[in-house]
Amino acid sequence: MLQPITCNNYTIHFNEEIYTRLNKHIDSHFYSKIFVLVDENTHEHCLPYFLSNVQTNLEIEIIEIEAGEEHKNIETCSGVWNVLSELGADRKSLMINLGGGVVTDLGGFVASTFMRGIDFINVPTTLLAMVDASVGGKTGVDLGSLKNQIGVINVPVFVFVDTKFLNTLPSEQVRSGFAEMLKHGLIHDEKYWDKLLKTSGETNELDNLIHESIVIKNKVVMEDPKESGLRKTLNYGHTLGHAIESYFLQEPSKPTLLHGEAIAIGMILATFLSHELHSFPVNKLKTITEVFIQKYGKVQFEPTDYERIIELLKFDKKNAFGDINFVLLEDIGKTIIDVKVDNDLIIKSFEYYKNH
């Protein structure tokens, strides 16, 4: 049995115990009504099982949004706010966000701002949401193709992780979430990184690795809840990764990349920069490059793409005073924050990726 993880003002519970916890919480808090936010995928594949485990006499309303990062915007929020209002939501309503990172990020933001804030519970159903969006209280939406530009930090009442939901996912979604777990190994613990490389993917083994990943992220967030220092390390690979993800979203000729696919590229580029600027060991750079390319394949970049991606870096939330700040590594588990990198070296990192 996986042990609960205590976060800043909330707890993450796992598998068998979550429905007992949920039902007890609903029973003791005198909510007026429950709203469950889903997308069309979780509506079909996750909601029936979830509702079969909820025991309450309260009215439960289902609100569905369209699936996909392209719908993680203020227009979708406006639609959900309007539906909440039309269905009689009040300050004593409870919102349960059942879905991946888009649903939990957007649902958390909607709940945090509706009537100046109602209680919400996140039930992540993708691997990415379990190991990333479940921890830290970041809520929000994209501004056009720019990732997570609008939002607030506000914690849920609980996060409930039921790894049975992973069985509903296509393999590329599981692979996308695994990229964040690999990141946790790179920034925190070489032993964990090695464990991830050797995993067989068996359910029990994956459950334990998910738990360990959440513990790693939570430890960082607990020490730096407002991202003034240590928490920035969680953005390893994300500075360029988010810019690549945004660029591919807005460029019709490019394929849409899943978050983990874009971050995998970002981590190869960041590791190359780490080698160039902070003598990250070349043998480990080679291994990391091979691991990510083997797991996530290669994406084609043209020299004309580089400048447009670099232009998007100015929208990264870690920037200050016009400087673009990177998280880099001296070695696996040894991070450096707020590193400035010139554009020529960024282009060199793309050329390194292109030639491997």
Side-chain angles (χ1 to χ4, degrees):
M1 185 170 160
L2 300 175
Q3 292 302 305
I5 298 171
T6 302
C7 306
N8 281 324
N9 300 318
Y10 71 100
T11 307
I12 302 175
H13 294 277
F14 295 85
N15 296 343
E16 306 85 15
E17 68 164 332
I18 68 175
Y19 300 104
T20 306
R21 289 271 174 185
L22 175 61
N23 292 326
K24 190 181 291 186
H25 177 77
I26 292 171
D27 193 46
S28 63
H29 277 72
F30 305 104
Y31 289 115
S32 57
K33 193 181 278 194
I34 298 172
F35 295 87
V36 182
L37 183 70
V38 292
D39 63 23
E40 59 256 44
N41 295 326
T42 55
H43 198 160
E44 179 183 352
H45 299 295
C46 304
L47 184 66
Y49 168 74
F50 178 76
L51 289 180
S52 72
N53 286 285
V54 179
Q55 297 168 357
T56 180
N57 293 321
L58 287 175
E59 188 178 355
I60 299 177
E61 298 278 9
I62 311 303
I63 302 175
E64 182 186 301
I65 62 173
E66 292 184 79
E69 184 74 29
E70 63 271 27
H71 301 294
K72 185 182 168 185
N73 53 43
I74 206 72
E75 288 77 23
T76 303
C77 292
S78 188
V80 179
W81 285 319
N82 277 311
V83 171
L84 285 169
S85 187
E86 288 162 10
L87 293 175
D90 59 26
R91 292 290 300 277
K92 289 298 292 178
S93 298
L94 171 67
M95 190 153 168
I96 299 175
N97 303 310
L98 179 70
V102 171
V103 170
T104 59
D105 279 6
L106 184 145
F109 179 63
V110 165
S112 299
T113 49
F114 183 77
M115 293 192 171
R116 297 197 174 95
I118 61 174
D119 280 3
F120 68 99
I121 290 171
N122 284 342
V123 187
T125 58
T126 65
L127 182 57
L128 179 60
M130 288 175 188
V131 300
D132 186 35
S134 67
V135 185
K138 285 186 176 179
T139 74
V141 294
D142 303 338
L143 186 62
S145 63
L146 301 174
K147 294 272 294 175
N148 301 323
Q149 292 285 299
I150 310 297
V152 296
I153 293 179
N154 186 36
V155 298
V157 177
F158 288 109
V159 171
F160 293 133
V161 174
D162 186 343
T163 56
K164 284 193 185 75
F165 289 126
L166 297 180
N167 298 326
T168 69
L169 296 178
S171 59
E172 61 268 21
Q173 288 284 353
V174 176
R175 200 163 59 241
S176 176
F178 198 71
E180 287 286 345
M181 297 171 73
L182 289 165
K183 179 200 74 179
H184 291 151
L186 288 178
I187 66 168
H188 186 79
D189 185 356
E190 191 161 8
K191 285 182 184 173
Y192 181 60
W193 163 263
D194 291 338
K195 248 193 265 187
L196 289 169
L197 298 192
K198 292 171 187 162
T199 181
S200 64
E202 293 295 319
T203 304
N204 275 354
E205 190 180 19
L206 189 58
D207 277 11
N208 288 322
L209 291 169
I210 290 167
H211 190 272
E212 194 167 345
S213 233
I214 295 172
V215 167
I216 289 170
K217 179 166 185 182
N218 185 53
K219 184 172 183 290
V220 173
V221 170
M222 291 280 278
E223 288 185 38
D224 179 21
K226 297 293 185 183
E227 201 169 1
S228 55
L230 182 65
R231 187 167 177 174
K232 293 179 183 179
T233 63
L234 293 167
N235 293 301
Y236 187 70
H238 284 57
T239 300
L240 278 162
H242 271 166
I244 292 165
E245 189 179 0
S246 293
Y247 176 61
F248 275 57
L249 267 175
Q250 69 187 33
E251 187 59 43
S253 64
K254 298 291 185 184
T256 299
L257 295 177
L258 293 173
H259 176 76
E261 293 168 338
I263 298 312
I265 301 167
M267 285 191 276
I268 294 174
L269 303 179
T271 307
F272 174 80
L273 296 173
S274 299
H275 170 65
E276 292 288 302
L277 292 172
H278 291 284
S279 302
F280 183 88
V282 69
N283 61 317
K284 293 182 182 180
L285 167 62
K286 185 171 181 290
T287 299
I288 289 164
T289 303
E290 288 170 355
V291 165
F292 283 121
I293 288 176
Q294 182 188 357
K295 285 187 181 296
Y296 299 95
K298 282 287 288 289
V299 171
Q300 295 304 311
F301 291 98
E302 302 303 325
T304 50
D305 298 328
Y306 304 160
E307 292 298 332
R308 294 179 65 187
I309 291 167
I310 288 168
E311 181 66 16
L312 288 170
L313 294 177
K314 68 185 180 189
F315 298 106
D316 191 281
K317 298 182 300 303
K318 297 172 293 302
N319 297 340
F321 306 107
D323 291 323
I324 295 162
N325 293 318
F326 281 78
V327 178
L328 298 181
L329 298 175
E330 289 181 330
D331 204 339
I332 295 177
K334 295 181 180 176
T335 51
I336 314 154
I337 62 171
D338 297 335
V339 181
K340 293 165 187 57
V341 180
D342 68 46
N343 290 355
D344 289 344
L345 194 52
I346 294 172
I347 291 168
K348 192 175 174 183
S349 73
F350 275 106
E351 290 295 326
Y352 167 81
Y353 173 82
K354 191 175 180 178
N355 294 324
H356 279 75

